[in-house]
Amino acid sequence: KAAFSCGLPLIRRQDDCIRCGLAGQYGELMTETAICSLCTVSVEKRIRAEQAWQQQKAFQDSLFRFQDWLGAAEATATSANSSQVSYANSKKELQRFEVLQKQVLEKLTPLEGLNRQYRQLVRTGGIGLHLRSLVQEINQRWDDLQRRAAAICKRLKYFVGQREEFESERETIRVRLTELDLRLTDVEHFSGGTSLEKMIQLQAFQQDVQVNAECVDHLLVRGECLIQKSQPEDAEVLEEELQDLSCFCQEVFRRVSRFRRRLVSMRLVFENEWLSDQESDLDSDCFIEASLDSETSSPLPSR
């Protein structure tokens, strides 16, 4: 019993030792797991931070490149010369600003891409106050540039369009007058027909003359308005063109008038000759009748 009673505490102490050993080993395993978990979390945070930094860096680079282009485009818009400028320079300025307006519209897609990136960074909290204000400023500057380029193009197109419409109308009238001059030459010198037939054709010419005269008067009024709005070199060119067209128009109209007077004279001469022939025929008839009457009234000779 003594041995048994003495052995029992020994067994209990041995079990305690075993349990203490197991507990120590388990505690070491728990500590290593916790450390691994902390390391994993730390690595993931580091990766996410690195990714966020790269995204912000890429966004910032794109934003600065867009800002550089915007500054150059604004400088071009500021140097615009759309008032008190000659017609030739206006055409060059219009071409330049049409290119600028096209570039501004093409930059709308990259700007929308920057705005999408900006919203993503805002949701993740990966953007500073400075970049936020810069994004808002760039959007406002693009809107202002787009409106300014459109306004300049509209003003230049109106000025250039007025001059081009004037030149087109002037050329159209000149072509009509040239055609009228050629038709008059053909009727006057090359075509056959009597004076009456030519007079009928001349009446059609006079209708064309009336229409072209009204067009020329309208063009002269329009040209005077353009001269008042144009630069001195353009005004001089417009005056020369109007003077040249007016002289050509008067020359064609004088030709028509001379041809009409000649036809009228020829007709009067023809009518006078015809009347003279008629009178001669009447005189001849009267003489013949008188001769016949005298012969019938004379006595017959006696046998």
PDB file of all heavy atoms in Angstrom, residues 163-193:
ATOM      1  N   ARG A 163     -17.143  87.490 -97.614  1.00  0.00           N
ATOM      2  CA  ARG A 163     -16.293  87.815 -98.770  1.00  0.00           C
ATOM      3  C   ARG A 163     -16.421  86.745 -99.847  1.00  0.00           C
ATOM      4  O   ARG A 163     -16.488  87.057-101.049  1.00  0.00           O
ATOM      5  CB  ARG A 163     -14.837  87.940 -98.307  1.00  0.00           C
ATOM      6  CG  ARG A 163     -13.855  88.271 -99.424  1.00  0.00           C
ATOM      7  CD  ARG A 163     -14.121  89.639-100.050  1.00  0.00           C
ATOM      8  NE  ARG A 163     -13.178  89.902-101.123  1.00  0.00           N
ATOM      9  CZ  ARG A 163     -11.987  90.473-100.943  1.00  0.00           C
ATOM     10  NH1 ARG A 163     -11.602  90.835 -99.713  1.00  0.00           N
ATOM     11  NH2 ARG A 163     -11.193  90.695-101.966  1.00  0.00           N
ATOM     12  N   GLU A 164     -16.455  85.472 -99.469  1.00  0.00           N
ATOM     13  CA  GLU A 164     -16.567  84.400-100.452  1.00  0.00           C
ATOM     14  C   GLU A 164     -17.918  84.443-101.174  1.00  0.00           C
ATOM     15  O   GLU A 164     -17.993  84.189-102.378  1.00  0.00           O
ATOM     16  CB  GLU A 164     -16.363  83.053 -99.773  1.00  0.00           C
ATOM     17  CG  GLU A 164     -14.922  82.799 -99.335  1.00  0.00           C
ATOM     18  CD  GLU A 164     -14.742  81.458 -98.659  1.00  0.00           C
ATOM     19  OE1 GLU A 164     -15.773  80.853 -98.283  1.00  0.00           O
ATOM     20  OE2 GLU A 164     -13.585  81.019 -98.493  1.00  0.00           O
ATOM     21  N   GLU A 165     -18.986  84.763-100.444  1.00  0.00           N
ATOM     22  CA  GLU A 165     -20.294  84.901-101.094  1.00  0.00           C
ATOM     23  C   GLU A 165     -20.297  86.064-102.080  1.00  0.00           C
ATOM     24  O   GLU A 165     -20.879  85.975-103.166  1.00  0.00           O
ATOM     25  CB  GLU A 165     -21.368  85.104-100.033  1.00  0.00           C
ATOM     26  CG  GLU A 165     -21.681  83.853 -99.215  1.00  0.00           C
ATOM     27  CD  GLU A 165     -22.696  84.119 -98.129  1.00  0.00           C
ATOM     28  OE1 GLU A 165     -23.176  85.283 -98.046  1.00  0.00           O
ATOM     29  OE2 GLU A 165     -23.014  83.198 -97.364  1.00  0.00           O
ATOM     30  N   PHE A 166     -19.655  87.161-101.695  1.00  0.00           N
ATOM     31  CA  PHE A 166     -19.551  88.305-102.603  1.00  0.00           C
ATOM     32  C   PHE A 166     -18.783  87.925-103.873  1.00  0.00           C
ATOM     33  O   PHE A 166     -19.206  88.238-104.987  1.00  0.00           O
ATOM     34  CB  PHE A 166     -18.852  89.464-101.889  1.00  0.00           C
ATOM     35  CG  PHE A 166     -18.474  90.593-102.793  1.00  0.00           C
ATOM     36  CD1 PHE A 166     -19.413  91.548-103.168  1.00  0.00           C
ATOM     37  CD2 PHE A 166     -17.178  90.703-103.292  1.00  0.00           C
ATOM     38  CE1 PHE A 166     -19.059  92.594-104.013  1.00  0.00           C
ATOM     39  CE2 PHE A 166     -16.823  91.744-104.138  1.00  0.00           C
ATOM     40  CZ  PHE A 166     -17.768  92.682-104.498  1.00  0.00           C
ATOM     41  N   GLU A 167     -17.650  87.245-103.711  1.00  0.00           N
ATOM     42  CA  GLU A 167     -16.845  86.851-104.865  1.00  0.00           C
ATOM     43  C   GLU A 167     -17.613  85.874-105.755  1.00  0.00           C
ATOM     44  O   GLU A 167     -17.540  85.949-106.990  1.00  0.00           O
ATOM     45  CB  GLU A 167     -15.532  86.217-104.407  1.00  0.00           C
ATOM     46  CG  GLU A 167     -14.600  87.160-103.666  1.00  0.00           C
ATOM     47  CD  GLU A 167     -14.056  88.256-104.552  1.00  0.00           C
ATOM     48  OE1 GLU A 167     -14.123  88.117-105.791  1.00  0.00           O
ATOM     49  OE2 GLU A 167     -13.561  89.260-104.012  1.00  0.00           O
ATOM     50  N   SER A 168     -18.353  84.958-105.137  1.00  0.00           N
ATOM     51  CA  SER A 168     -19.129  83.998-105.918  1.00  0.00           C
ATOM     52  C   SER A 168     -20.238  84.690-106.709  1.00  0.00           C
ATOM     53  O   SER A 168     -20.449  84.396-107.902  1.00  0.00           O
ATOM     54  CB  SER A 168     -19.720  82.943-104.976  1.00  0.00           C
ATOM     55  OG  SER A 168     -20.549  82.043-105.691  1.00  0.00           O
ATOM     56  N   GLU A 169     -20.918  85.622-106.070  1.00  0.00           N
ATOM     57  CA  GLU A 169     -21.989  86.351-106.768  1.00  0.00           C
ATOM     58  C   GLU A 169     -21.412  87.220-107.884  1.00  0.00           C
ATOM     59  O   GLU A 169     -21.981  87.307-108.977  1.00  0.00           O
ATOM     60  CB  GLU A 169     -22.746  87.216-105.760  1.00  0.00           C
ATOM     61  CG  GLU A 169     -23.960  87.922-106.348  1.00  0.00           C
ATOM     62  CD  GLU A 169     -24.745  88.688-105.313  1.00  0.00           C
ATOM     63  OE1 GLU A 169     -24.411  88.580-104.108  1.00  0.00           O
ATOM     64  OE2 GLU A 169     -25.694  89.405-105.701  1.00  0.00           O
ATOM     65  N   ARG A 170     -20.283  87.852-107.626  1.00  0.00           N
ATOM     66  CA  ARG A 170     -19.645  88.677-108.654  1.00  0.00           C
ATOM     67  C   ARG A 170     -19.239  87.829-109.860  1.00  0.00           C
ATOM     68  O   ARG A 170     -19.461  88.219-111.020  1.00  0.00           O
ATOM     69  CB  ARG A 170     -18.419  89.372-108.066  1.00  0.00           C
ATOM     70  CG  ARG A 170     -17.701  90.297-109.039  1.00  0.00           C
ATOM     71  CD  ARG A 170     -16.435  90.844-108.411  1.00  0.00           C
ATOM     72  NE  ARG A 170     -15.468  89.783-108.166  1.00  0.00           N
ATOM     73  CZ  ARG A 170     -14.614  89.322-109.082  1.00  0.00           C
ATOM     74  NH1 ARG A 170     -14.624  89.820-110.312  1.00  0.00           N
ATOM     75  NH2 ARG A 170     -13.764  88.370-108.783  1.00  0.00           N
ATOM     76  N   GLU A 171     -18.683  86.659-109.605  1.00  0.00           N
ATOM     77  CA  GLU A 171     -18.276  85.785-110.698  1.00  0.00           C
ATOM     78  C   GLU A 171     -19.487  85.275-111.479  1.00  0.00           C
ATOM     79  O   GLU A 171     -19.436  85.164-112.716  1.00  0.00           O
ATOM     80  CB  GLU A 171     -17.473  84.605-110.139  1.00  0.00           C
ATOM     81  CG  GLU A 171     -16.836  83.714-111.196  1.00  0.00           C
ATOM     82  CD  GLU A 171     -15.811  84.439-112.029  1.00  0.00           C
ATOM     83  OE1 GLU A 171     -15.215  85.419-111.533  1.00  0.00           O
ATOM     84  OE2 GLU A 171     -15.604  84.025-113.198  1.00  0.00           O
ATOM     85  N   THR A 172     -20.569  84.981-110.775  1.00  0.00           N
ATOM     86  CA  THR A 172     -21.786  84.526-111.452  1.00  0.00           C
ATOM     87  C   THR A 172     -22.335  85.603-112.380  1.00  0.00           C
ATOM     88  O   THR A 172     -22.717  85.322-113.535  1.00  0.00           O
ATOM     89  CB  THR A 172     -22.851  84.137-110.409  1.00  0.00           C
ATOM     90  OG1 THR A 172     -22.347  83.077-109.597  1.00  0.00           O
ATOM     91  CG2 THR A 172     -24.127  83.672-111.092  1.00  0.00           C
ATOM     92  N   ILE A 173     -22.374  86.846-111.909  1.00  0.00           N
ATOM     93  CA  ILE A 173     -22.876  87.948-112.741  1.00  0.00           C
ATOM     94  C   ILE A 173     -21.970  88.158-113.943  1.00  0.00           C
ATOM     95  O   ILE A 173     -22.445  88.395-115.066  1.00  0.00           O
ATOM     96  CB  ILE A 173     -22.985  89.236-111.904  1.00  0.00           C
ATOM     97  CG1 ILE A 173     -24.066  89.067-110.838  1.00  0.00           C
ATOM     98  CG2 ILE A 173     -23.297  90.435-112.783  1.00  0.00           C
ATOM     99  CD1 ILE A 173     -24.167  90.223-109.868  1.00  0.00           C
ATOM    100  N   ARG A 174     -20.678  88.066-113.735  1.00  0.00           N
ATOM    101  CA  ARG A 174     -19.745  88.248-114.855  1.00  0.00           C
ATOM    102  C   ARG A 174     -19.933  87.149-115.905  1.00  0.00           C
ATOM    103  O   ARG A 174     -19.862  87.431-117.118  1.00  0.00           O
ATOM    104  CB  ARG A 174     -18.308  88.266-114.346  1.00  0.00           C
ATOM    105  CG  ARG A 174     -17.313  88.662-115.411  1.00  0.00           C
ATOM    106  CD  ARG A 174     -15.936  88.891-114.856  1.00  0.00           C
ATOM    107  NE  ARG A 174     -15.050  89.413-115.874  1.00  0.00           N
ATOM    108  CZ  ARG A 174     -14.943  90.697-116.205  1.00  0.00           C
ATOM    109  NH1 ARG A 174     -15.676  91.595-115.563  1.00  0.00           N
ATOM    110  NH2 ARG A 174     -14.129  91.090-117.161  1.00  0.00           N
ATOM    111  N   VAL A 175     -20.161  85.924-115.470  1.00  0.00           N
ATOM    112  CA  VAL A 175     -20.402  84.835-116.419  1.00  0.00           C
ATOM    113  C   VAL A 175     -21.685  85.089-117.206  1.00  0.00           C
ATOM    114  O   VAL A 175     -21.735  84.886-118.435  1.00  0.00           O
ATOM    115  CB  VAL A 175     -20.471  83.492-115.666  1.00  0.00           C
ATOM    116  CG1 VAL A 175     -20.976  82.388-116.591  1.00  0.00           C
ATOM    117  CG2 VAL A 175     -19.107  83.105-115.115  1.00  0.00           C
ATOM    118  N   ARG A 176     -22.734  85.557-116.532  1.00  0.00           N
ATOM    119  CA  ARG A 176     -23.983  85.863-117.231  1.00  0.00           C
ATOM    120  C   ARG A 176     -23.787  86.967-118.263  1.00  0.00           C
ATOM    121  O   ARG A 176     -24.304  86.880-119.391  1.00  0.00           O
ATOM    122  CB  ARG A 176     -25.047  86.286-116.221  1.00  0.00           C
ATOM    123  CG  ARG A 176     -25.549  85.164-115.323  1.00  0.00           C
ATOM    124  CD  ARG A 176     -26.534  85.717-114.319  1.00  0.00           C
ATOM    125  NE  ARG A 176     -27.037  84.699-113.419  1.00  0.00           N
ATOM    126  CZ  ARG A 176     -27.832  84.958-112.372  1.00  0.00           C
ATOM    127  NH1 ARG A 176     -28.210  86.201-112.122  1.00  0.00           N
ATOM    128  NH2 ARG A 176     -28.234  83.977-111.593  1.00  0.00           N
ATOM    129  N   LEU A 177     -23.070  88.003-117.878  1.00  0.00           N
ATOM    130  CA  LEU A 177     -22.830  89.094-118.815  1.00  0.00           C
ATOM    131  C   LEU A 177     -21.988  88.625-120.005  1.00  0.00           C
ATOM    132  O   LEU A 177     -22.221  89.050-121.143  1.00  0.00           O
ATOM    133  CB  LEU A 177     -22.122  90.243-118.100  1.00  0.00           C
ATOM    134  CG  LEU A 177     -22.952  91.008-117.066  1.00  0.00           C
ATOM    135  CD1 LEU A 177     -22.082  92.004-116.312  1.00  0.00           C
ATOM    136  CD2 LEU A 177     -24.124  91.719-117.727  1.00  0.00           C
ATOM    137  N   THR A 178     -21.024  87.753-119.759  1.00  0.00           N
ATOM    138  CA  THR A 178     -20.213  87.213-120.849  1.00  0.00           C
ATOM    139  C   THR A 178     -21.064  86.392-121.808  1.00  0.00           C
ATOM    140  O   THR A 178     -20.932  86.497-123.039  1.00  0.00           O
ATOM    141  CB  THR A 178     -19.066  86.354-120.286  1.00  0.00           C
ATOM    142  OG1 THR A 178     -18.274  87.146-119.385  1.00  0.00           O
ATOM    143  CG2 THR A 178     -18.188  85.820-121.400  1.00  0.00           C
ATOM    144  N   GLU A 179     -21.942  85.557-121.252  1.00  0.00           N
ATOM    145  CA  GLU A 179     -22.844  84.778-122.101  1.00  0.00           C
ATOM    146  C   GLU A 179     -23.759  85.693-122.923  1.00  0.00           C
ATOM    147  O   GLU A 179     -24.002  85.449-124.118  1.00  0.00           O
ATOM    148  CB  GLU A 179     -23.675  83.840-121.238  1.00  0.00           C
ATOM    149  CG  GLU A 179     -22.876  82.715-120.595  1.00  0.00           C
ATOM    150  CD  GLU A 179     -23.720  81.857-119.677  1.00  0.00           C
ATOM    151  OE1 GLU A 179     -24.887  82.247-119.424  1.00  0.00           O
ATOM    152  OE2 GLU A 179     -23.232  80.811-119.219  1.00  0.00           O
ATOM    153  N   LEU A 180     -24.269  86.750-122.294  1.00  0.00           N
ATOM    154  CA  LEU A 180     -25.122  87.698-123.015  1.00  0.00           C
ATOM    155  C   LEU A 180     -24.347  88.389-124.131  1.00  0.00           C
ATOM    156  O   LEU A 180     -24.869  88.576-125.244  1.00  0.00           O
ATOM    157  CB  LEU A 180     -25.673  88.730-122.027  1.00  0.00           C
ATOM    158  CG  LEU A 180     -26.602  89.809-122.599  1.00  0.00           C
ATOM    159  CD1 LEU A 180     -27.852  89.181-123.227  1.00  0.00           C
ATOM    160  CD2 LEU A 180     -27.004  90.792-121.506  1.00  0.00           C
ATOM    161  N   ASP A 181     -23.108  88.738-123.864  1.00  0.00           N
ATOM    162  CA  ASP A 181     -22.271  89.383-124.872  1.00  0.00           C
ATOM    163  C   ASP A 181     -22.014  88.447-126.048  1.00  0.00           C
ATOM    164  O   ASP A 181     -22.062  88.873-127.218  1.00  0.00           O
ATOM    165  CB  ASP A 181     -20.960  89.814-124.226  1.00  0.00           C
ATOM    166  CG  ASP A 181     -20.099  90.627-125.164  1.00  0.00           C
ATOM    167  OD1 ASP A 181     -20.557  91.697-125.620  1.00  0.00           O
ATOM    168  OD2 ASP A 181     -18.971  90.194-125.457  1.00  0.00           O
ATOM    169  N   LEU A 182     -21.753  87.167-125.774  1.00  0.00           N
ATOM    170  CA  LEU A 182     -21.524  86.208-126.857  1.00  0.00           C
ATOM    171  C   LEU A 182     -22.793  85.968-127.672  1.00  0.00           C
ATOM    172  O   LEU A 182     -22.742  85.868-128.913  1.00  0.00           O
ATOM    173  CB  LEU A 182     -21.018  84.887-126.267  1.00  0.00           C
ATOM    174  CG  LEU A 182     -19.617  84.929-125.629  1.00  0.00           C
ATOM    175  CD1 LEU A 182     -19.300  83.596-124.973  1.00  0.00           C
ATOM    176  CD2 LEU A 182     -18.563  85.273-126.673  1.00  0.00           C
ATOM    177  N   ARG A 183     -23.931  85.877-127.010  1.00  0.00           N
ATOM    178  CA  ARG A 183     -25.199  85.702-127.740  1.00  0.00           C
ATOM    179  C   ARG A 183     -25.487  86.907-128.619  1.00  0.00           C
ATOM    180  O   ARG A 183     -25.962  86.774-129.747  1.00  0.00           O
ATOM    181  CB  ARG A 183     -26.332  85.495-126.732  1.00  0.00           C
ATOM    182  CG  ARG A 183     -26.327  84.121-126.069  1.00  0.00           C
ATOM    183  CD  ARG A 183     -27.251  84.116-124.870  1.00  0.00           C
ATOM    184  NE  ARG A 183     -28.595  84.541-125.219  1.00  0.00           N
ATOM    185  CZ  ARG A 183     -29.493  84.943-124.320  1.00  0.00           C
ATOM    186  NH1 ARG A 183     -29.173  84.992-123.025  1.00  0.00           N
ATOM    187  NH2 ARG A 183     -30.702  85.298-124.698  1.00  0.00           N
ATOM    188  N   LEU A 184     -25.201  88.077-128.094  1.00  0.00           N
ATOM    189  CA  LEU A 184     -25.426  89.298-128.883  1.00  0.00           C
ATOM    190  C   LEU A 184     -24.526  89.319-130.111  1.00  0.00           C
ATOM    191  O   LEU A 184     -24.969  89.692-131.213  1.00  0.00           O
ATOM    192  CB  LEU A 184     -25.167  90.518-128.005  1.00  0.00           C
ATOM    193  CG  LEU A 184     -25.380  91.885-128.654  1.00  0.00           C
ATOM    194  CD1 LEU A 184     -26.837  92.051-129.085  1.00  0.00           C
ATOM    195  CD2 LEU A 184     -24.993  92.994-127.680  1.00  0.00           C
ATOM    196  N   THR A 185     -23.278  88.918-129.945  1.00  0.00           N
ATOM    197  CA  THR A 185     -22.359  88.861-131.079  1.00  0.00           C
ATOM    198  C   THR A 185     -22.847  87.877-132.128  1.00  0.00           C
ATOM    199  O   THR A 185     -22.779  88.139-133.343  1.00  0.00           O
ATOM    200  CB  THR A 185     -20.952  88.460-130.599  1.00  0.00           C
ATOM    201  OG1 THR A 185     -20.494  89.410-129.637  1.00  0.00           O
ATOM    202  CG2 THR A 185     -19.977  88.396-131.760  1.00  0.00           C
ATOM    203  N   ASP A 186     -23.359  86.741-131.675  1.00  0.00           N
ATOM    204  CA  ASP A 186     -23.849  85.728-132.615  1.00  0.00           C
ATOM    205  C   ASP A 186     -25.052  86.243-133.399  1.00  0.00           C
ATOM    206  O   ASP A 186     -25.126  86.085-134.626  1.00  0.00           O
ATOM    207  CB  ASP A 186     -24.220  84.471-131.831  1.00  0.00           C
ATOM    208  CG  ASP A 186     -24.698  83.362-132.747  1.00  0.00           C
ATOM    209  OD1 ASP A 186     -23.889  82.840-133.534  1.00  0.00           O
ATOM    210  OD2 ASP A 186     -25.904  83.016-132.678  1.00  0.00           O
ATOM    211  N   VAL A 187     -26.002  86.868-132.719  1.00  0.00           N
ATOM    212  CA  VAL A 187     -27.193  87.381-133.396  1.00  0.00           C
ATOM    213  C   VAL A 187     -26.823  88.538-134.325  1.00  0.00           C
ATOM    214  O   VAL A 187     -27.367  88.674-135.426  1.00  0.00           O
ATOM    215  CB  VAL A 187     -28.247  87.820-132.359  1.00  0.00           C
ATOM    216  CG1 VAL A 187     -29.419  88.539-133.033  1.00  0.00           C
ATOM    217  CG2 VAL A 187     -28.749  86.618-131.585  1.00  0.00           C
ATOM    218  N   GLU A 188     -25.880  89.346-133.884  1.00  0.00           N
ATOM    219  CA  GLU A 188     -25.550  90.553-134.626  1.00  0.00           C
ATOM    220  C   GLU A 188     -24.748  90.261-135.892  1.00  0.00           C
ATOM    221  O   GLU A 188     -24.954  90.917-136.927  1.00  0.00           O
ATOM    222  CB  GLU A 188     -24.756  91.494-133.715  1.00  0.00           C
ATOM    223  CG  GLU A 188     -24.515  92.864-134.284  1.00  0.00           C
ATOM    224  CD  GLU A 188     -23.828  93.766-133.283  1.00  0.00           C
ATOM    225  OE1 GLU A 188     -23.462  93.290-132.181  1.00  0.00           O
ATOM    226  OE2 GLU A 188     -23.633  94.959-133.597  1.00  0.00           O
ATOM    227  N   HIS A 189     -23.873  89.252-135.845  1.00  0.00           N
ATOM    228  CA  HIS A 189     -22.932  89.074-136.961  1.00  0.00           C
ATOM    229  C   HIS A 189     -23.016  87.714-137.657  1.00  0.00           C
ATOM    230  O   HIS A 189     -22.631  87.619-138.824  1.00  0.00           O
ATOM    231  CB  HIS A 189     -21.489  89.261-136.465  1.00  0.00           C
ATOM    232  CG  HIS A 189     -21.228  90.624-135.917  1.00  0.00           C
ATOM    233  ND1 HIS A 189     -21.165  91.751-136.710  1.00  0.00           N
ATOM    234  CD2 HIS A 189     -21.030  91.044-134.630  1.00  0.00           C
ATOM    235  CE1 HIS A 189     -20.918  92.813-135.946  1.00  0.00           C
ATOM    236  NE2 HIS A 189     -20.833  92.411-134.687  1.00  0.00           N
ATOM    237  N   PHE A 190     -23.457  86.677-136.962  1.00  0.00           N
ATOM    238  CA  PHE A 190     -23.333  85.330-137.520  1.00  0.00           C
ATOM    239  C   PHE A 190     -24.670  84.657-137.840  1.00  0.00           C
ATOM    240  O   PHE A 190     -24.727  83.829-138.743  1.00  0.00           O
ATOM    241  CB  PHE A 190     -22.534  84.423-136.565  1.00  0.00           C
ATOM    242  CG  PHE A 190     -21.151  84.933-136.300  1.00  0.00           C
ATOM    243  CD1 PHE A 190     -20.843  85.533-135.094  1.00  0.00           C
ATOM    244  CD2 PHE A 190     -20.166  84.847-137.276  1.00  0.00           C
ATOM    245  CE1 PHE A 190     -19.569  86.014-134.844  1.00  0.00           C
ATOM    246  CE2 PHE A 190     -18.889  85.332-137.035  1.00  0.00           C
ATOM    247  CZ  PHE A 190     -18.593  85.923-135.814  1.00  0.00           C
ATOM    248  N   SER A 191     -25.688  84.945-137.112  1.00  0.00           N
ATOM    249  CA  SER A 191     -26.965  84.274-137.355  1.00  0.00           C
ATOM    250  C   SER A 191     -27.715  84.962-138.490  1.00  0.00           C
ATOM    251  O   SER A 191     -27.556  86.167-138.738  1.00  0.00           O
ATOM    252  CB  SER A 191     -27.821  84.291-136.084  1.00  0.00           C
ATOM    253  OG  SER A 191     -28.190  85.607-135.761  1.00  0.00           O
ATOM    254  N   GLY A 192     -28.538  84.171-139.155  1.00  0.00           N
ATOM    255  CA  GLY A 192     -29.355  84.733-140.215  1.00  0.00           C
ATOM    256  C   GLY A 192     -30.652  85.289-139.655  1.00  0.00           C
ATOM    257  O   GLY A 192     -30.779  85.557-138.466  1.00  0.00           O
ATOM    258  N   GLY A 193     -31.614  85.457-140.507  1.00  0.00           N
ATOM    259  CA  GLY A 193     -32.907  85.946-140.064  1.00  0.00           C
ATOM    260  C   GLY A 193     -33.135  87.383-140.462  1.00  0.00           C
ATOM    261  O   GLY A 193     -32.200  88.142-140.723  1.00  0.00           O
TER     262      GLY A 193
END
